[in-house]
Amino acid sequence: MEQEEFVVHISDLSKRYKKSKVYANYKINLSIKKGEILGILGPNGAGKTTLIRQLVGLLKPDEGRIEVEGKSIHDNTRFLPEKIAYLSQQLYAHKALKVREFIFFTGIYRGLDKKEACLKTDELIEYFKADWIKDRLIEHLSGGELQLAGFMGSIIGYRPLIILDEPTNDMDPQNRILLWKLVKELRAKKGITFILVTHNVHEAQDVVDRVAIMQKGRIITLGKPYEIIDAIQTKCKISFEMPYNVELKSWEHSYELQKVNDEKYYVEVVSEDINKVMYEILSCEAGEYIRNIKVIRPSLEDAYLKEIESNVYEYEKD
């Protein structure tokens, strides 16, 4: 059996800021495989940014160890730019640069020769159909345009690990679709590992391989989206519609019927009973009038909210 290759290994990582009584990160353990897309989710103040800033060498941990491709970052952080590209929520680029110049010079900084940097820059601009911003100054870009420019800058040079912090903020739907398509292609074709830090749980569900949910400095849940969803044991909904003038005179079935309005209804059921309840609904006295019946299963967002609500920790060290 082929041994799994890990790009990042974090063990017992803790960080507390000088004026704070609580830990920003506490005893975090996390390993990230090559070619994996990991989502880090959590509310404001959960410790996501602190964790990432330690991973990229901008903060020094109080305790614990971080390894990137088997090499400790604590002994020497100089090798990190060769291994990691980081798109933060705020793009740090010279405002007097044009978008194309920013992407091009980022490629040069990452070791591409002029010809290759020029080629890759043009490929990215063409892929996103971003001709309209390529000659504009960074300082004149809107929020979504800044995110797009920043993402293109983070991709060029193809670092083994790319960290994206809220990469689609303010982006239009078309560029969001293109961005996630490219992320999946780079993972599949080049084995690039991605860490996605986001509040957009719905968007993350369709992209990530695993999810780490953070709360108050700790990882409280780690797993594949379907595993996390299954673990919360939330009921599914079966929704359906009927004409407003059709009346359900009696409902003597195993689950309570909920009325949304004069035409819409739903029933909450455990997943094991979906087929049984579907049959009950369709075979009821008004069954011939029922339309648009569908099953609404719990989402990662449902699981995320339940995990956050059900986990409360005290973080002050004894």
Side-chain angles (χ1 to χ4, degrees), residues 55-111:
L55 177 56
V56 299
L58 296 176
L59 279 178
K60 186 176 181 180
D62 295 336
E63 301 172 19
R65 183 177 178 86
I66 301 174
E67 294 180 359
V68 174
E69 291 193 338
K71 193 173 182 180
S72 171
I73 73 167
H74 309 295
D75 303 325
N76 182 12
T77 60
R78 291 183 180 178
F79 77 100
L80 288 178
E82 300 173 6
K83 303 297 182 183
I84 300 176
Y86 174 38
L87 173 62
S88 64
Q89 290 189 48
Q90 183 175 356
L91 178 60
Y92 294 99
H94 199 295
K95 293 182 180 181
L97 286 176
K98 295 177 181 179
V99 170
R100 191 182 184 283
E101 292 171 336
F102 161 66
I103 302 168
F104 172 80
F105 285 124
T106 302
I108 294 292
Y109 170 75
R110 292 189 179 142

Side-chain angles (χ1 to χ4, degrees), residues 73-199:
I73 73 167
H74 309 295
D75 303 325
N76 182 12
T77 60
R78 291 183 180 178
F79 77 100
L80 288 178
E82 300 173 6
K83 303 297 182 183
I84 300 176
Y86 174 38
L87 173 62
S88 64
Q89 290 189 48
Q90 183 175 356
L91 178 60
Y92 294 99
H94 199 295
K95 293 182 180 181
L97 286 176
K98 295 177 181 179
V99 170
R100 191 182 184 283
E101 292 171 336
F102 161 66
I103 302 168
F104 172 80
F105 285 124
T106 302
I108 294 292
Y109 170 75
R110 292 189 179 142
L112 303 182
D113 60 38
K114 289 183 179 180
K115 183 177 180 180
E116 189 176 10
C118 184
L119 177 65
K120 295 299 182 183
T121 297
D122 290 342
E123 284 179 357
L124 284 165
I125 290 171
E126 182 180 356
Y127 175 81
F128 283 103
K129 297 178 175 59
D131 285 337
W132 87 99
I133 63 168
K134 70 177 183 180
D135 293 320
R136 287 170 56 187
L137 296 176
I138 295 291
E139 66 177 340
H140 294 158
L141 299 181
S142 67
E145 292 167 347
L146 270 174
Q147 287 298 99
L148 180 56
F151 177 76
M152 290 189 284
S154 70
I155 292 298
I156 195 168
Y158 300 140
R159 289 300 183 249
L161 173 62
I162 299 176
I163 301 171
L164 306 173
D165 193 346
E166 302 288 359
T168 59
N169 271 4
D170 300 321
M171 269 194 196
D172 62 68
Q174 181 63 26
N175 281 329
R176 285 172 182 252
I177 293 169
L178 290 172
L179 184 151
W180 294 128
K181 180 182 177 183
L182 184 55
V183 165
K184 291 177 180 179
E185 285 180 0
L186 291 175
R187 182 268 296 272
K189 294 179 180 179
K190 296 187 176 294
I192 293 176
T193 303
F194 287 88
I195 298 176
L196 167 64
V197 184
T198 185
H199 289 94

Side-chain angles (χ1 to χ4, degrees), residues 35-54:
E36 182 175 28
I37 303 176
L38 175 76
I40 299 180
L41 311 178
N44 291 333
K48 306 185 298 296
T49 299
T50 298
L51 174 60
I52 295 304
R53 286 174 65 83
Q54 290 174 94

